[in-house]
């Protein structure tokens, strides 16, 4: 067989082989670099997987803690409503237990002498122009608060608990009609003795009187803390000062849950007299809030 003619000169073969070896070396280096990169990516992937596993574990723990906190919050809310309900009952019992008490304000210090009951039996009929038969009988009568010197500008009040509820009502009615009275140039007032929450509600109602007069609205504050208002021939009772502000146009609607004094009813649905509670809707119905809006 005859030999084929060579397509390249014998002198070109070493150069071609040198180029092929260079290309092989370059490819080998690239492969080594890719192997190193792949190894680095593998390590980074393992690290990311470990971090993801750690995050998953932490998220699972947080979810468990969140469910536990939600359960505890639900329990706390229930107990808070229970506590508020019990506080409302305490307020109601406090008002009911004090309904035979009267407060005599601004009587000069030491004017009563050593026997407070005898002093009240002598001075109350003179002040009120009422005759009591039998005479006023007290379970107890005393000044409250730290002792103050004679002639103090704000003498301590005298709180007296009467034995007969009819005499208490008679005294308070006379004080509302003819009071205040005067003793030695001192203006003396006789008022009912309410709990702290009821007093705060009554004070909040009283701050609205100038606005009601400005709007030419008829109003009246009744025991223990109920404001009766007539506007444009329509009468309405209010147990919360905030509702009265809204009604009189003082405030716009707010997102705050309404609080109000709710009359307590007995087992047969009858309203109990002189039994009102600071209230809002709760688990057991009306419950006492922890604050009085817009004090």
């Amino acid at each position: 067989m005859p030999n084929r003619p060579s397509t390249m000169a014998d002198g070109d073969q070493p150069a071609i082989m040198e180029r092929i070896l260079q290309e092989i070396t370059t490819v080998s280096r690239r492969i080594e670099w890719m192997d190193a990169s792949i190894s680095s990516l593998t390590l980074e992937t393992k690290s990311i997987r470990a971090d993801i596993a750690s995050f998953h574990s932490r998220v699972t723990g947080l979810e468990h803690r969140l469910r536990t906190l939600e359960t505890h919050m639900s329990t706390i809310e229930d107990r808070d409503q229970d506590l508020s309900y019990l506080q409302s009952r305490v307020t109601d019992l406090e008002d009911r237990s004090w309904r035979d008490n009267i407060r005599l304000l601004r009587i000069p210090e030491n004017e009563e002498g050593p026997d407070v009951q005898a002093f009240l039996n002598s001075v109350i009929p003179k002040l009120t122009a009422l005759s009591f038969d039998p005479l006023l009988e007290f379970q107890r009568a005393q000044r409250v608060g730290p002792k103050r010197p004679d002639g103090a500008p704000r003498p301590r009040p005298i709180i007296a608990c009467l034995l007969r509820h009819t005499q208490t009502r008679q005294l308070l009615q006379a004080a509302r009609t003819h009071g205040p009275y005067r003793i030695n140039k001192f203006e003396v007032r006789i008022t009912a003795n309410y709990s702290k929450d009821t007093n705060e509600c009554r004070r909040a109602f009283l701050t609205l009187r100038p606005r009601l007069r400005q709007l030419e609205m008829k109003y009246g504050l009744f025991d223990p803390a109920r404001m009766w208002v007539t506007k444009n021939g329509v009468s309405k009772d209010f147990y919360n000062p905030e509702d009265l502000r809204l009604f009189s146009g003082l405030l716009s609607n707010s997102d705050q849950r309404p609080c109000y004094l709710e009359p307590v009813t007995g087992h047969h649905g009858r309203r109990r007299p002189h039994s009102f509670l600071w209230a809002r809707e709760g688990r057991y119905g009306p419950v006492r809030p922890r604050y009085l809006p817009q004090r």
Side-chain angles (χ1 to χ4, degrees):
M1 174 181 286
N3 293 330
R4 294 180 180 178
S6 177
T7 58
M8 62 181 66
D10 292 339
D12 294 337
Q13 289 183 359
I16 293 173
M17 293 300 296
E18 184 68 23
R19 290 179 59 188
I20 292 173
L21 289 175
Q22 289 178 358
E23 293 292 338
I24 292 173
T25 302
T26 303
V27 171
S28 299
R29 289 176 180 175
R30 290 180 178 178
I31 291 174
E32 290 176 358
W33 177 81
M34 293 178 65
D35 288 340
S37 299
I38 290 172
S39 299
S40 177
L41 290 174
T42 302
L43 293 176
E44 291 180 0
T45 303
K46 290 181 179 179
S47 177
I48 292 172
R49 286 180 178 177
D51 292 341
I52 291 174
S54 175
F55 290 152
H56 178 73
S57 176
R58 293 175 63 182
V59 169
T60 303
L62 289 174
E63 288 177 349
H64 176 71
R65 293 178 61 184
L66 181 59
R67 285 193 296 268
T68 304
L69 288 175
E70 288 176 349
T71 304
H72 289 171
M73 284 297 297
S74 177
T75 303
I76 290 173
E77 288 177 357
D78 292 341
R79 291 181 179 177
D80 180 68
Q81 290 184 0
D82 295 342
L83 179 61
S84 299
Y85 177 75
L86 293 176
Q87 288 175 339
S88 69
R89 304 309 301 169
V90 170
T91 300
D92 177 56
L93 291 174
E94 192 174 17
D95 282 333
R96 292 165 69 86
S97 65
W98 290 357
R99 64 178 183 174
D100 289 330
N101 289 6
I102 59 173
R103 294 172 66 94
L104 292 93
L105 307 177
R106 302 176 186 175
I107 293 181
E109 287 284 338
N110 297 324
E111 184 76 15
E112 69 279 8
D115 192 346
V116 180
Q117 296 187 20
F119 169 76
L120 295 179
N121 253 322
S122 63
V123 74
I124 287 179
K126 296 178 182 178
L127 291 177
T128 60
L130 297 175
S131 59
F132 296 97
D133 187 18
L135 294 177
L136 295 174
E137 294 187 53
F138 302 94
Q139 296 185 31
R140 56 191 176 276
Q142 61 187 11
R143 285 193 185 267
V144 293
K147 187 175 179 60
R148 297 177 183 175
D150 296 347
R154 296 186 62 183
R156 295 171 296 165
I158 295 178
I159 295 183
C161 179
L162 280 77
L163 186 62
R164 293 178 174 84
H165 181 68
T166 55
Q167 292 180 341
T168 305
R169 295 292 99 190
Q170 188 178 1
L171 268 176
L172 294 177
Q173 181 61 37
R176 281 191 292 266
T177 306
H178 306 290
Y181 307 101
R182 305 195 71 83
I183 294 181
N184 297 337
K185 300 182 180 180
F186 284 88
E187 189 179 83
V188 177
R189 295 180 179 273
I190 301 176
T191 65
N193 191 30
Y194 301 111
S195 64
K196 179 181 177 181
D197 292 336
T198 304
N199 277 324
E200 289 177 348
C201 182
R202 291 177 65 88
R203 282 195 292 269
F205 274 129
L206 293 178
T207 59
L208 296 174
R209 290 184 299 177
R211 177 62 176 173
L212 297 178
R213 286 194 292 266
Q214 181 182 357
L215 296 174
E216 298 181 353
M217 299 170 63
K218 296 181 180 179
Y219 62 88
L221 182 61
F222 298 93
D223 289 338
R226 176 174 62 92
M227 181 71 85
W228 173 83
V229 173
T230 299
K231 181 179 182 181
N232 298 329
V234 179
S235 299
K236 188 174 183 180
D237 290 336
F238 291 92
Y239 301 98
N240 176 20
E242 198 70 19
D243 293 338
L244 182 55
R245 287 190 180 96
L246 293 173
F247 181 77
S248 61
L250 288 177
L251 295 178
S252 60
N253 291 326
S254 63
D255 295 332
Q256 186 179 15
R257 292 182 67 182
C259 303
Y260 51 92
L261 274 172
E262 179 70 15
V264 178
T265 56
H267 296 293
H268 302 288
R270 298 177 181 175
R271 194 160 96 173
R272 298 177 184 172
H274 312 296
S275 178
F276 292 82
L277 309 176
W278 277 108
R280 68 179 177 185
E281 287 303 321
R283 178 180 176 186
Y284 296 104
V287 295
R288 177 183 174 272
R290 304 174 198 148
Y291 59 89
L292 175 65
Q294 302 294 331
R295 286 185 180 177

